Amino acid sequence: CSISGYGATSTHSGVAGHDANYLAQLGVMHRNGDAIPAFYDPPIADIGGTFFAAMTILGALNGRTRTGKGCLIDLGLADAVMPMQLMQIAEFGANGTVPTRRNTYLNGGAAFYQVYATADGHHVVLGAVEPKFWRAFCEAARRSDLIDRQHEAIPQHALCADVAAIFAGLTLEQAIACFGHVDCCFSVVSDLGEALASSHVSTRDLVRASPEGELQALYPAWIDGVPPDSRRPLEPSGG
């Protein structure tokens, strides 16, 4: 399995690149960010590309079992960006739509899928895409007048401002008290340290620590009810 930036047969074969280059060239960076295009942390093409490679290797091994023949896999990290855009590519094919920054529900154009600031400087996410979740949010906010406005054309600048005003009037603690128990896809924006200390990471055994306190992220899938190998001691660096 050969993994390169652009694949062996590309006109860019042998050209140096990193994740931001791939996102820029393959149409992702253009529609993300605010005033200027944005790339990401973690690097989605780099990591996504390795997962596509792993899946293809597994398929090749299964094929070898059936046919007795191996194969050569050629994967470009930039190429991995395209299947991640399957919805946007299909829409472009149907009507020529080119998504732009903060102009779709996935990149900040919708009030129901948005980041909001609280009165005390924290941030929360509302992901109430489905009508039942949006309705639950509006009812919890005591703003039933907003329910039917979910269907306003995107970008929903006026509705975003109205919802932003709701959260701007609440501290983080008040927002959690108001929406934390409601089935409306409400989440607090946590930093990495807060995420590592969360009950979710703990109960899912997503990270393990060495006696020296070194941390390692684990493969996230549970197999037959067994979690990742979080209880096996982590070898110290250089050990």
Side-chain angles (χ1 to χ4, degrees), residues 6-224:
Y6 298 98
T9 61
S10 171
T11 54
H12 285 65
S13 180
V15 175
H18 285 293
D19 198 78
N21 302 107
Y22 311 144
L23 300 184
Q25 291 176 254
L26 275 298
V28 173
M29 190 184 295
H30 170 264
R31 66 176 180 273
N32 287 287
D34 289 309
I36 62 173
F39 53 90
Y40 297 92
D41 172 14
I44 60 174
D46 287 347
I47 294 175
T50 61
F51 283 129
F52 279 113
M55 286 188 287
T56 310
I57 290 169
L58 292 174
L61 290 172
N62 186 54
R64 186 189 65 180
T65 300
R66 291 185 289 105
T67 67
K69 297 180 180 180
C71 65
L72 174 62
I73 300 167
D74 168 25
L75 187 139
L77 295 174
D79 299 352
V81 175
M82 298 310 282
M84 295 182 190
Q85 302 182 84
L86 75 169
M87 293 186 295
Q88 293 83 358
I89 290 171
E91 184 170 359
F92 181 86
N95 53 38
T97 298
V98 175
T100 57
R101 289 191 295 280
R102 302 192 69 81
N103 201 45
T104 76
Y105 92 86
L106 287 173
N107 69 4
F112 51 81
Y113 199 75
Q114 189 66 260
V115 178
Y116 293 104
T118 61
D120 51 351
H122 295 279
H123 290 87
V124 298
V125 166
L126 182 65
V129 176
E130 292 78 8
K132 65 178 182 180
F133 298 135
W134 175 252
R135 174 179 289 274
F137 164 75
C138 294
E139 291 174 347
R142 299 182 179 179
R143 290 295 305 273
S144 58
D145 59 302
L146 299 181
I147 293 174
D148 291 338
R149 293 183 61 191
Q150 183 181 16
H151 306 294
E152 291 179 359
I154 295 175
Q156 299 175 330
H157 297 308
L159 185 55
C160 285
D162 288 340
V163 178
I166 293 172
F167 285 106
L170 302 171
T171 65
L172 179 62
E173 184 177 353
Q174 290 170 332
I176 293 172
C178 187
F179 304 110
H181 65 287
V182 177
D183 195 21
C184 65
C185 304
F186 165 86
S187 300
V188 176
V189 176
S190 302
D191 65 27
L192 179 59
E194 292 165 339
L196 289 170
S198 70
S199 60
H200 173 73
V201 170
S202 175
T203 56
R204 291 294 292 175
D205 286 319
L206 295 175
V207 175
R208 68 178 178 183
S210 73
E212 293 77 17
E214 295 174 309
L215 299 180
Q216 182 184 54
L218 302 175
Y219 194 79
W222 288 43
I223 308 298
D224 292 333

